[in-house]
């Protein structure tokens, strides 16, 4: 018997979109606005078309990215300071660093080496952490690898200094940076009748509660395969647990409780031929197929899908849920968006933060 392990953590990286002069790079991190800010001349390029190929080696980068956006930093003999803002608090962050023949110094965070080539080092120096690389000819140049950034509590920014680790004839070098965060998804574990799904979200107890008959299944073995398409789901999940919701002609109300306050949440929605209405939160479409829509209707947000035959059925995509302040729960209503011969349809839901 083959056991399928559910994916409960997945990386989400910045979609870099623009640059302000040589001081600021701007992008989107799962609906949030992320930035890198440096001194004048500190940012020499922002690759916005996914053309950087050197984060692809799984022995060097965790996780590998076959094609990626990047921010090009300029390293000089003296320390230059850069600040990364994630747009909202994160539990931790992942930095892919390419072509590093410099020293990056972090004084306000803990740095852990996840992977890298033989000359990609992380060393603690007093209360600071230094990420070091050496020059190397041939592609990919210099040193390369991945680090994790963490702090004792959730954080929205991190600052580091960058300086050369060799004598450069030109007085500077370029370093490539990509930034991500870990999205943690629910490990669904059980169901109470047809009204409640129960699971663990990073050690917290998360639940989905609906009306009688509102929850028809809880997939606890990671066997749902249709959240895997990276063009539809952000981030994709190769194998996932799910909660099966029942949609009927009239509105049914569901409440998701995350177990503790969150800054925002990610919902993967599968096989949606219904309308989900959120009246107490802001909803942003992160990705989806052509019929997966998010529309604002007064103060409410409606997530809409249409029927489609063939796997994956109906409409599919990812939304981000946010509120003005951290929140512990969110409520939505669900109703059919077509005339169903059976009077109902199933919708698949997975939840992350």
């Amino acid at each position: 018997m083959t056991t399928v392990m559910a994916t409960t953590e997945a990386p989400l990286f910045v979609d870099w979109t623009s640059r302000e002069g040589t001081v600021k790079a701007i992008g989107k991190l799962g609906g949030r606005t992320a930035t890198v800010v440096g001194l004048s001349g500190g940012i020499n390029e922002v690759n916005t078309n996914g053309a950087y190929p050197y984060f692809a080696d799984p022995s060097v980068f965790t996780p590998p990215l076959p094609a990626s956006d990047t921010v090009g930093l300029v390293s000089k003999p003296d320390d230059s300071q850069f600040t990364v803002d994630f747009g909202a608090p994160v539990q931790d962050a992942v930095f892919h660093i390419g072509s590093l023949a410099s020293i990056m110094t972090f004084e306000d965070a803990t740095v852990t080496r996840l992977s890298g080539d033989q000359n990609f080092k992380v060393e603690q120096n007093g209360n600071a952490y230094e990420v070091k690389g050496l020059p190397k000819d041939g592609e990919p140049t210099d040193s390369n690898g991945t680090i994790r950034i963490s702090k004792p509590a959730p954080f929205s920014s991190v600052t580091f200094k960058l300086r050369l680790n060799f004598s450069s004839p030109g007085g500077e070098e370029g370093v490539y940076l990509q930034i991500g965060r870990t999205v943690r998804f629910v490990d669904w574990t059980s169901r109470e009748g047809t009204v409640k799904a129960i699971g663990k979200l990073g050690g917290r107890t998360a639940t989905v509660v609906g009306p009688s008959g509102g929850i028809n299944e809880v997939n606890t073995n990671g066997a749902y395969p249709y959240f895997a398409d990276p063009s539809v789901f952000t981030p994709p999940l190769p194998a996932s647990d799910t909660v099966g919701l029942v949609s009927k002609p009239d509105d049914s109300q569901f409440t998701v409780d995350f177990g503790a306050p969150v800054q925002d949440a990610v919902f993967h929605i599968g096989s949606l031929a219904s309308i989900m209405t959120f009246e107490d939160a802001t909803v942003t479409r992160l990705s989806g197929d052509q019929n997966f829509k998010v529309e604002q209707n007064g103060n409410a947000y409606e997530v809409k899908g249409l029927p489609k035959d063939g796997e994956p059925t109906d409409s599919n995509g990812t939304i981000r849920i946010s509120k003005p302040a951290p929140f512990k729960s969110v409520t939505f209503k669900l109703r059919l968006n077509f005339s169903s011969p059976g009077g109902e349809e199933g919708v698949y839901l997975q939840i992350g933060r």
Side-chain angles (χ1 to χ4, degrees):
M1 178 178 174
T2 301
T3 301
V4 179
M5 296 298 293
T7 304
T8 56
E9 293 188 356
L12 183 65
F13 286 89
V14 177
D15 175 17
W16 296 105
T17 56
S18 62
R19 174 164 64 107
E20 291 183 3
T22 60
V23 298
K24 188 175 186 179
I26 304 166
K28 291 293 185 181
L29 180 57
R32 312 169 174 187
T33 297
T35 60
V36 179
V37 176
L39 300 175
S40 178
I43 297 175
N44 66 350
E45 66 175 307
V46 175
N47 182 322
T48 61
N49 61 359
Y52 188 79
Y54 298 118
F55 294 147
D57 187 342
S59 70
V60 177
F61 295 101
T62 306
L65 301 177
S68 177
D69 289 356
T70 56
V71 175
L73 309 179
V74 178
S75 181
K76 300 181 180 182
D78 296 326
D79 276 324
S80 298
Q81 183 167 293
F82 297 86
T83 298
V84 177
D85 191 295
F86 303 99
V90 297
Q91 299 292 325
D92 54 21
V94 173
F95 283 16
H96 282 356
I97 304 168
S99 192
L100 180 73
S102 294
I103 300 173
M104 301 174 72
T105 303
F106 294 80
E107 297 176 344
D108 65 342
T110 298
V111 179
T112 305
R113 182 188 189 273
L114 297 184
S115 55
D117 57 41
Q118 62 180 354
N119 290 321
F120 184 81
K121 308 289 187 181
V122 174
E123 299 174 359
Q124 189 169 0
N125 185 357
N127 292 324
Y129 289 82
E130 295 180 337
V131 185
K132 297 181 177 181
L134 295 174
K136 178 184 76 72
D137 294 330
E139 300 292 357
T141 55
D142 305 337
S143 299
N144 299 264
T146 303
I147 59 174
R148 183 175 72 239
I149 310 295
S150 58
K151 297 188 182 185
F155 56 101
S156 60
S157 66
V158 67
T159 295
F160 63 89
K161 297 174 182 176
L162 182 68
R163 70 179 189 275
L164 289 176
N165 199 24
F166 72 110
S167 178
S168 169
E172 62 183 43
E173 75 138 348
V175 177
Y176 295 97
L177 178 67
Q178 177 57 305
I179 295 164
R181 70 179 181 97
T182 301
V183 181
R184 291 172 173 83
F185 287 89
V186 177
D187 176 16
W188 295 105
T189 56
S190 62
R191 175 165 63 107
E192 291 184 2
T194 60
V195 298
K196 188 175 186 179
I198 304 166
K200 290 293 184 181
L201 179 56
R204 311 168 174 185
T205 297
T207 60
V208 178
V209 176
S212 179
I215 297 175
N216 65 350
E217 64 175 309
V218 175
N219 182 322
T220 62
N221 62 0
Y224 189 79
Y226 297 117
F227 294 147
D229 188 341
S231 70
V232 177
F233 296 100
T234 306
L237 301 178
S240 178
D241 289 357
T242 56
V243 175
L245 309 179
V246 177
S247 181
K248 300 181 179 182
D250 295 326
D251 277 325
S252 298
Q253 182 167 294
F254 296 85
T255 297
V256 177
D257 190 297
F258 304 99
V262 298
Q263 300 294 327
D264 55 12
V266 171
F267 283 16
H268 283 355
I269 304 168
S271 191
L272 181 73
S274 294
I275 300 173
M276 301 175 71
T277 302
F278 294 79
E279 297 176 344
D280 66 342
T282 299
V283 179
T284 305
R285 182 187 189 274
L286 296 185
S287 55
D289 57 41
Q290 62 181 354
N291 290 322
F292 184 81
K293 308 288 186 183
V294 174
E295 300 174 359
Q296 189 169 0
N297 185 356
N299 292 326
Y301 288 83
E302 296 180 337
V303 184
K304 296 181 177 181
L306 294 175
K308 179 184 76 69
D309 294 331
E311 299 293 355
T313 54
D314 306 335
S315 300
N316 299 265
T318 303
I319 59 174
R320 173 181 176 247
I321 309 296
S322 59
K323 297 187 181 185
F327 56 101
K328 185 175 178 290
S329 65
V330 67
T331 296
F332 63 88
K333 297 175 182 176
L334 182 66
R335 70 179 188 275
L336 290 175
N337 198 25
F338 73 110
S339 178
S340 168
E344 61 183 45
E345 74 137 352
V347 177
Y348 295 97
L349 177 67
Q350 177 58 307
I351 294 163
R353 64 171 179 90

